[in-house]
């Protein structure tokens, strides 16, 4: 091997992640068990037995968004994902502003959850062993665990998340199986999906909770560089994630309704919000299963943290390549091929925020989780709206062979639906936070404020660093997955540490993923912050 090759800075481990691996990352970010045990009972209280349909409607909306989103992923190969799409479609100023919103949004979705990790683990220790553990050491230990997971290779993270995701979904499947085998409290019924039970005033609140339960599914495109055959793998993983979450959420909530009976479930949820799922699994499976659910809620939270941590690291890496963030954040570990400096910086930021809230005497659940998580959720929803609009404008400006359904109809409809979803969440924000009107106003205002600040920074960058502004979100000159043989070597790679690397661990390409017909994604919402609603004998919820 020549010295020039051996001295080449390491890059991300390309060709490593298959469809299942990426699906594990994005579904884990949504924390299905935490969403169900912690948030679904609130949706039942607010929307009645029609709550399962709310999760289906949210899933359909995001599936429509995924049509244009994945179509654009075949044309925009930058590692910047959301901000790259928005820059290509709506212009660089909005792209730079979107990058800032993405960093705030993803960090908000992760860092706030360390408060949930502390309170949930403390509650679980109390429920299982009668031990009263302080939340802060647990949160700090969690920071170290998640840092190590991000420091290791991406395939290591995928394996860890695969195991944790199987555990948390498996316990919910066990609950559902017990209910179905027993026939529920009064026999099985599909009344939850009847129009008279769906079209009720409380459905708006259910939809707000349901949309927040999908947060993170859109991060599939962040792993493009590490994916095998991303033109197929990324769309496959996106559709699998949103399809699985929508159907699984609706199915599990429906089975819990059957467990208590349609005439009693709302009262049961209102009487013991945090314990509803634990009571159901104790009755239909056994107390041992309830103990497992306690433990798996903690592992569900850890899985969500690791998934968001990896996504944040790759956003920071992309922005360091752009010249917007310090170049040091773009360093890749020579052995693990991970953006380890970005991971360390994100961990330090998380520690500062956690310690700051602890020093102020804040509650880890009602303040650290809810106050940090809520703007993050709104930020990611705003990015989806901008991305949908960017798809429409991008394909109006560039030559392509995509159909109008993928480039105009689906993304246009998604933009309208997402705008409604954002309005629902913003108007129902008190249900998520339980905070004062002043605090809620500030939390909702964070995202537009960051967007404006990002625009100002973009214009300043254009004046003071025009060369950085000019190349922001530009397409890489080559792509080892799509260019013809030899093309990757025809000209220098603009970021040598991301150039294609041979990898002994790489596997073959994934099987083809069926595409949708041409004719035709916390971190969940958080339970209102009444500590009574936070599972005391169960576990803390998200």
């Amino acid at each position: 091997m020549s010295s020039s090759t051996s001295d080449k800075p390491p890059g991300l481990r390309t060709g490593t992640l298959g469809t299942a691996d990426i699906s594990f990352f994005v579904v884990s970010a949504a924390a299905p068990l935490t969403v169900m045990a912690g948030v679904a009972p609130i949706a039942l209280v607010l929307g009645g037995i029609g709550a399962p349909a709310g999760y289906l409607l949210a899933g359909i909306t995001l599936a429509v968004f995924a049509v244009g989103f994945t179509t654009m992923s075949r044309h925009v190969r930058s590692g910047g994902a959301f901000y790259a799409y928005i820059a290509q479609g709506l212009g660089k100023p909005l792209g730079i502003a979107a990058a800032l919103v993405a960093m705030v949004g993803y960090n908000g979705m992760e860092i706030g959850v360390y408060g949930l990790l502390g309170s949930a683990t403390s509650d679980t220790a109390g429920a299982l062993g009668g031990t009263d553990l302080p939340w802060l050491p647990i949160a700090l230990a969690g920071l170290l665990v998640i840092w190590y997971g991000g420091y290791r290779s991406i395939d290591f993270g995928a394996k860890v998340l695969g195991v944790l995701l199987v555990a948390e979904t498996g316990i919910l499947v066990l609950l559902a199986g017990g209910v179905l085998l027993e026939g529920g409290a009064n026999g099985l019924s599909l009344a939850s999906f009847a129009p008279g039970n769906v079209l009720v005033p409380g459905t708006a609140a259910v939809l707000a909770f349901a949309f927040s339960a999908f947060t993170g599914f859109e991060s599939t495109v962040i792993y493009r560089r590490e994916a095998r055959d991303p033109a197929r793998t990324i769309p496959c993983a996106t559709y699998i994630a949103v399809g699985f979450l929508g159907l699984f959420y609706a199915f599990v909530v429906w089975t819990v309704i059957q467990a208590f009976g349609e005439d009693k479930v709302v009262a049961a949820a209102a009487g013991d919000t945090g314990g509803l799922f634990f009571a159901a699994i104790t009755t239909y499976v056994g107390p041992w299963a309830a103990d497992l659910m306690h433990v798996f809620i903690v592992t569900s939270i850890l899985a969500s943290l690791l998934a968001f941590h990896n996504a944040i690291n790759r956003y920071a890496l992309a922005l360091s390549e752009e010249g917007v963030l310090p170049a040091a954040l773009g360093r890749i570990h020579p052995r693990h091929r991970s953006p380890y400096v970005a991971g360390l910086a994100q961990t330090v930021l998380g520690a500062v925020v956690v310690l700051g809230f602890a020093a102020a005497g804040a509650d880890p659940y009602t303040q650290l989780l809810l106050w940090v998580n809520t703007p993050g959720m709104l930020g990611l929803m705003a990015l989806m709206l901008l991305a949908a609009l960017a798809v429409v404008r991008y394909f109006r400006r560039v030559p392509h062979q995509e159909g109008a359904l993928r480039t105009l109809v689906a993304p246009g409809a998604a933009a309208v639906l997402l705008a409604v979803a954002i309005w629902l969440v913003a108007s129902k924000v008190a249900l998520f936070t339980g905070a004062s009107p002043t605090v809620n106003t500030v939390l909702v205002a964070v995202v537009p404020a960051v967007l404006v600040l990002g625009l100002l920074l973009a214009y300043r960058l254009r004046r003071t660093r025009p060369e950085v502004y000019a190349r922001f979100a530009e397409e890489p000159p080559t792509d080892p997955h799509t260019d013809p043989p030899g093309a990757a070597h025809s000209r220098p790679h603009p970021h040598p540490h991301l150039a294609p690397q041979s990898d002994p661990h790489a596997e073959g390409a994934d099987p083809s993923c069926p595409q949708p017909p041409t004719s035709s994604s916390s971190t969940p919402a958080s339970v209102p912050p009444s500590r009574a609603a936070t599972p005391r004998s169960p576990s803390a919820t998200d």
Side-chain angles (χ1 to χ4, degrees):
M1 181 180 292
S2 68
S3 61
S4 62
T5 302
S6 61
D7 294 339
K8 193 177 193 177
L12 291 176
R13 183 167 288 171
T14 59
T16 298
L17 300 179
T19 299
D21 299 320
I22 298 175
S23 299
F24 288 151
F25 274 105
V26 298
V27 175
S28 295
L33 175 57
T34 310
V35 168
M36 290 290 92
V39 182
I42 301 297
L44 284 167
V45 172
L46 297 172
I49 65 170
Y55 290 96
L56 285 180
L57 292 172
I60 291 170
T61 297
L62 295 176
V64 172
F65 164 76
V67 173
F69 185 63
T70 56
T71 300
M72 193 141 178
S73 74
R74 296 198 293 268
H75 295 260
V76 178
R77 296 173 288 133
S78 166
F82 267 140
Y83 80 70
Y85 293 8
I86 293 166
Q88 293 275 356
L90 302 178
K92 291 183 179 181
L94 263 179
I96 293 171
L100 190 59
V101 171
M103 292 301 293
V104 171
Y106 278 106
N107 274 286
M109 292 303 296
E110 188 203 23
I111 294 172
V113 178
Y114 283 108
L116 177 62
L117 176 65
S119 61
T121 305
S122 179
D123 288 348
T124 296
L128 299 182
T131 306
D132 185 15
L133 298 178
W135 73 270
L136 181 58
I138 298 169
L140 295 177
L143 279 158
L144 292 176
V145 170
I146 298 306
W147 163 79
Y148 180 73
Y151 171 78
R152 290 292 301 272
S153 63
I154 191 68
D155 49 339
F156 171 84
K159 290 180 175 66
V160 170
L161 290 179
V163 172
L164 297 182
L165 184 61
V166 168
E168 66 175 300
T169 55
I171 197 70
L172 289 170
V173 170
L174 186 64
L175 165 60
V179 173
L180 294 178
L181 286 174
E182 292 289 332
N186 304 310
L188 303 179
S189 166
L190 295 177
S192 290
F193 304 100
N197 292 320
V198 175
L199 302 177
V200 297
T203 299
V206 173
L207 285 170
F209 280 98
F211 277 109
S212 67
F214 288 80
T215 306
F217 92 92
E218 75 294 331
S219 60
T220 50
V221 293
I222 296 173
Y223 300 101
R224 178 184 177 89
R225 294 174 182 175
E226 294 153 294
R228 298 195 296 268
D229 193 4
R232 286 199 298 266
T233 303
I234 298 301
C236 278
T238 304
Y239 287 116
I240 288 171
V242 70
F244 171 79
L245 288 173
L247 293 172
F248 190 66
Y249 286 154
F251 170 68
V252 170
V253 176
W254 174 77
T255 58
V256 169
I257 293 171
Q258 307 312 303
F260 289 89
E262 293 168 351
D263 56 338
K264 296 179 181 178
V265 67
V266 174
D272 187 11
T273 302
L276 187 74
F277 274 65
F278 293 90
I281 201 168
T282 298
T283 300
Y284 288 90
V285 182
W288 63 269
D291 290 344
L292 273 183
M293 185 176 281
H294 285 295
V295 175
F296 289 162
I297 278 187
V298 176
T299 62
S300 169
I301 296 168
L302 286 170
S304 178
L305 286 166
L306 180 57
F308 275 110
H309 180 72
N310 277 298
I312 294 165
N313 294 350
R314 280 147 186 80
Y315 255 111
L317 171 66
L319 287 170
S320 73
E321 296 166 7
E322 303 279 10
V324 175
L325 291 180
L329 295 177
R331 292 179 185 168
I332 304 296
H333 193 277
R335 178 183 175 189
H336 299 306
R337 310 274 283 277
S338 61
Y340 71 106
V341 176
L344 180 61
Q346 201 281 327
T347 301
V348 170
L349 174 63
V352 169
V353 174
V354 169
L355 289 171
F357 271 79
D363 184 271
Y365 183 82
T366 61
Q367 293 173 313
L368 174 54
L369 171 67
L370 303 186
W371 291 10
V372 178
N373 210 224
T374 300
M377 175 182 65
L378 286 167
L380 296 189
M381 293 181 74
L383 287 175
M384 284 193 279
L385 171 59
L386 290 173
L389 295 172
V391 171
V392 174
R393 189 158 187 265
Y394 175 83
F395 285 110
R396 303 281 73 74
R397 296 169 51 208
V398 300
H400 62 87
Q401 295 181 335
E402 306 285 356
L405 176 67
R406 296 176 181 273
T407 61
L408 178 63
V409 178
V416 173
L417 293 171
L418 285 165
V420 173
I422 292 171
W423 175 80
L424 284 173
V425 172
S427 64
K428 305 292 183 181
V429 71
L431 296 175
F432 293 89
T433 67
S436 68
T438 300
V439 170
N440 288 331
T441 300
V442 171
L443 295 179
V444 172
V446 167
V447 173
V450 170
L451 195 63
V452 171
L453 177 61
L455 288 171
L456 294 175
L457 289 175
Y459 294 128
R460 183 176 183 275
L461 189 66
R462 186 168 63 182
R463 292 196 311 272
T464 60
R465 301 173 67 193
E467 71 288 350
V468 172
Y469 181 87
R471 68 170 182 264
F472 182 81
E474 290 297 311
E475 282 292 275
T478 59
D479 187 333
H481 299 287
T482 58
D483 289 339
H489 305 287
S490 61
R491 47 184 163 174
H493 197 281
H495 306 295
H497 60 288
L498 289 169
Q501 307 281 326
S502 62
D503 190 340
H505 303 290
E507 302 176 20
D510 284 353
S512 298
C513 177
Q515 297 295 324
T518 55
S519 61
S520 15
S521 106
S522 151
T523 339
S526 305
V527 183
S530 161
R531 295 300 292 182
T534 305
R536 302 309 309 174
S537 67
S539 159
T541 60
D542 187 6

